[in-house]
Amino acid sequence: MYKRLFSRMVGLPLAALAVISVAASGRGAEPGSDAARMFRYTHPDGSNYFALLFQPPGEPVAAGARDVVVLFDTSASQTGEYRSNALATLRAALSDLPAEDRVQLMGVDLRAVAMTDGFVAPDGAEMADGLEKLQRRVPLGATDLPGAMEAAVEAFPAASQNPRALVYIGEGSSRANLLGLDDLTRLAGRLREARVPVLSYAVGPRIDANLLGALAAQTGGDVFGVGAERPPAEIGRQLAEGATAPVLWPSRVAWPDGISEVFPEEPLPLRSDRENLVIGTLGASDAMELVMAVEGLAGPAELAWSITPGDSQPDYNFLAELVRDARPTGGMHLPLLGAESLAHARTAVFTGTRSLVRLARQSLSADNFDHAEKLVQEVLSRDPDDPEAQALQRAIARRRSAPGEAAPDEAVAGAGEPLPPRGGAADLNLVGPGAPGPGPGGPSEFAAGIAAERNLTTQVIQAEVREAINRARGQMGDDPVGAIQQLKLQLERVRQTPELQPEVRSQLIGVIEASLREAARRQEFLEEQRQRELERRAFEQEQRMVLDNLMREQTRVKHLMDRFNSLMDEGRYRLAEEDVAVEVGEIMPEDPVAPAAALWSRFVGYEARNTELKVAKQRNFMDVIYEIERSAVPLPDEPPLVYPDAEVWRELTALRVERYSAMDLASRGPAERRIMDALDSPTQLEFFETPLQDVIDYLKDFHDIEIQIDTRALEDMGLDTSMPITRNLRGITLRSALRLTLRDPGLTYVIEDEVLLITTPEEAENRLTTKVYPVAD
């Protein structure tokens, strides 16, 4: 959770810390004043702390039509009287808004749901329908306040130039989305960037006024309904007036040189209907001037305020603690909403100081000097002039030096009674039926000591429980399991502490168990988020796999189509159709490319074959006519033809057969001759679904010849050496066995370079062997 105001104050009730300014008419400086009010306190160490109140001078420019988004909390806590007051306040605010304003009503819990169709008139029929729909909405779940405000910012029309305002009605608790300090800073920056002031009516059983006040201070808004009880009609009127009040947005601030530190550090929007508050430290006490460049309804302007620090006022000693609390965060978490914020801060600090003094007196009564000394030092660090703390410090010193002596004459200024002597019961309120009577020997010193020890233990346990709950709430956003573990340890501590009264133990156990339930809900929410994130990642991974597979298929199809084009250019149309186009169709059956390629290759092939036939027919027809005409040429028998005797022809034939019978222009070595012999030798094959490579390896070993596979030719055909072979052959030659085995995958073999090469028919056509055969008569 975001850091709570004055969270270091021991024993101070959280409700007292969260009280912030209550909006009321006539508060702050008079409009048009150009003088700022500064209250100063000088610490004994020489540090000067200040609180500066200033208001835009001059009459505010009246605004025309405004765009207003109303967020109405419909979580489970908004029931009964709280819901009735909230609805009555909403109706009163809508009735007091100007008729030209445009309002969008949204119900918010786990998410924001529009009750009206866009922006409508505040008193029209569309708004009446929206109110009826809102009244029918059942209060359920918890509230996601940051998500609701983000939805409100998105709802404002981007094209509209009207001033904006956001009205929130609810308890300000964001249990469905716990806010850290960084989240609060980011949300406030988003609202300032969109120029949306946040005005809130705090209503509900667990009001988080600190969060609402910080959002109002950071955005130039206001908070109503905290503190004094007011009727819904009055609060509705204040909401309507706040929504229509002009807001100035600073673009540049020139702080006087005499001011050393300013909180909040970020220049915040200025409201025209209340004073604006900053705190910090001074380096000088001379008169100075504050200059600020702002943008408003009348356009850019430069404002100036004269500042007179004045004398140090002891009543403002709480400013030192306020500034110390603002330094770690730059004051972003403080609900600084005007003069009444200072009054409530002073009350909170005073209440916390008195609680520390009371605990110190109880520790002193129980002779716990170290604990009492720590508490007194904490009080003096906040207010060095506190008379009670000074008196207690002197009493502690005397009791340390003389532990057996009492100090009945030591009066605590402002307490109205002397400090009790050692072991006394004056400060333990031991009166009534259960208190020891004034019998012989006086009050029981031992019983008083036990009661004091129990009271001190109760105070310590209560403080530890508050601290553990606050720490757990801050841890729930990121580590609810750790928060649950810490709360369980604290719950066990409360149960195992015998000094606690039963009603106190029951109350603390109830508070811790409520926090445990809240942490468990947060754990379930984070687990759901984690599951959704895992599902999203799994879906994204599946989509990436599908996309990668599609890309691989498209790449493969592209390569096949490139081969298809090459085959078409080579005139091998049937191969392009039967091999490439069919494979493309198997990869992408719904893509029209495959059937189009098949039809195109078939059409072009038929056309080419028809053209070849036509040309061949024409050529051969002319050749035949030529031969006919040539045969008509007579041959003269001069000189006459004389044929040799038959014996001469026999000798010529025998000589020709002897010369050309074994002539082979491709000379073969011993390895190739061994391969030729092996092809004519018997073999046997018994294979079932065996890879081609294993079959070839078997034949190499069986026939003792070298057999290789042309892998590049097979890859061009889309084949590989792992294709399955099933064949059972016996009693035939290796030549026949190879032809039968290689026929199904569309392969053949050639003898080349002293090896038997397994390749494709197309590649075998390019590997020719020249032979000479006798062709004489």
Side-chain angles (χ1 to χ4, degrees), residues 382-395:
R382 301 179 182 182
D383 184 6
D385 299 326
D386 191 290
E388 287 188 80
Q390 292 174 351
L392 278 172
Q393 189 176 40
R394 292 192 295 270

Side-chain angles (χ1 to χ4, degrees), residues 708-724:
Q708 295 292 330
I709 299 177
D710 190 355
T711 56
R712 187 179 64 180
L714 266 65
E715 290 177 355
D716 291 341
M717 289 288 293
L719 306 175
D720 56 30
T721 59
S722 62
M723 68 176 66

Side-chain angles (χ1 to χ4, degrees), residues 7 25 36 187 217 256 271 273 275 283 293 353 376 435 486 656 721 759:
S7 60
S25 60
L187 176 60
R271 290 194 65 84
D273 58 347
E275 288 181 305
T353 303
V376 169
Q486 294 295 330
R656 183 172 65 247
T721 59
T759 184

Side-chain angles (χ1 to χ4, degrees), residues 45 108 140 171 182 229 248 277 281 299 420 439 449 476 623 680 714:
D45 63 4
V108 296
L140 293 173
E171 63 182 2
D182 294 339
E229 294 291 337
L248 302 179
L277 172 62
T281 58
M476 287 178 193
D623 290 345
D680 295 329
L714 266 65

Side-chain angles (χ1 to χ4, degrees), residues 55-113:
Q55 195 168 359
E59 292 293 336
V61 178
R66 285 185 173 270
D67 296 331
V68 182
V69 172
V70 178
L71 300 179
F72 191 92
D73 195 338
T74 58
S75 61
S77 62
Q78 298 296 306
T79 58
E81 186 178 357
Y82 300 119
R83 184 175 177 88
S84 300
N85 290 339
L87 287 171
T89 302
L90 172 61
R91 296 180 185 277
L94 293 174
S95 64
D96 287 334
L97 283 174
E100 63 270 15
D101 286 356
R102 289 296 172 262
V103 183
Q104 180 166 13
L105 178 61
M106 306 176 77
V108 296
D109 37 62
L110 291 175
R111 59 190 183 94
V113 179

Side-chain angles (χ1 to χ4, degrees), residues 219-236:
T219 61
D222 216 332
V223 179
F224 307 90
V226 180
E229 294 291 337
R230 286 185 172 82
E234 182 179 349
I235 298 178

Side-chain angles (χ1 to χ4, degrees), residues 575-596:
L575 186 62
E577 175 189 355
E578 295 179 352
D579 290 356
V580 179
V582 171
E583 186 173 356
V584 171
E586 292 175 353
I587 297 174
M588 304 181 70
E590 298 181 359
D591 198 304
V593 172

Side-chain angles (χ1 to χ4, degrees), residues 121-133:
D123 55 351
E126 297 92 341
M127 180 57 70
D129 294 339
L131 288 172
E132 184 178 354
K133 186 187 301 183

